[in-house]
Amino acid sequence: MSQPLLPMYGLVDFDPHGVAIMLTYKNGSRSLRHEENTALTQLSWLGPKSSDILGYQVGELSSARGYSPVDATLPLCTRERRETVRLLSKTIEKEDESFEHIDIIRELQMMLLFNTKAEIQAVDDAGDLTRWLDNALIRAM
């Protein structure tokens, strides 16, 4: 089976578990390494990302309710910080200089630096998830 012709995007929570799920789809899992075609290497992380959650693109997310996506963030617990550090180390070890790879490293660093996580629901609560998704897909293409 060859790679898909259509672009593939991962929409996962901005937390270590969401990133781990996305990376499992992208790189395959250790338990299925013996199987062929179990990784979607062309998978791109659509978001939400730190810029969405921390309000850098507030114009897309602002709402009449005066609600910010930062209002829906939560601090990482100790276990999640350890998982984020583990994911970051594992990702850095992989020799890949693609923009996508560097972006994943940066996002994990931002997660640790700001000690924050957020669910996809945070973007929806801050405004309009459909509009955000449309804009994110346009940027990604």
Side-chain angles (χ1 to χ4, degrees), residues 92-105:
I92 289 172
E93 287 174 4
K94 187 177 178 188
E95 293 184 21
D96 182 350
E97 294 187 20
S98 69
F99 175 76
E100 178 94 20
H101 184 76
I102 292 168
D103 187 49
I104 292 168
I105 291 170

Side-chain angles (χ1 to χ4, degrees), residues 119-137:
E119 297 178 354
I120 296 167
Q121 185 67 33
V123 175
D124 194 32
D125 290 344
D128 183 352
L129 181 62
T130 305
R131 187 177 65 206
W132 173 85
L133 190 54
D134 287 343
N135 290 333
L137 285 167

Side-chain angles (χ1 to χ4, degrees), residues 50-82:
S50 61
S51 59
D52 301 306
I53 301 305
L54 299 173
Y56 299 133
Q57 298 168 13
V58 176
E60 293 177 19
L61 297 173
S62 61
S63 79
R65 296 175 286 188
Y67 187 86
S68 163
V70 177
D71 297 336
T73 64
L74 297 168
L76 295 168
C77 68
T78 303
R79 185 175 32 105
E80 290 168 326
R81 284 189 67 80
R82 278 194 300 259

Side-chain angles (χ1 to χ4, degrees), residues 12-13 19-20 61:
V12 297
D13 290 341
V19 176
L61 297 173

Side-chain angles (χ1 to χ4, degrees), residues 24 27-34 86 90:
T24 300
N27 302 324
S29 70
R30 275 185 271 152
S31 63
L32 293 177
R33 284 214 170 113
H34 63 281
R86 186 191 70 74
K90 185 178 171 183

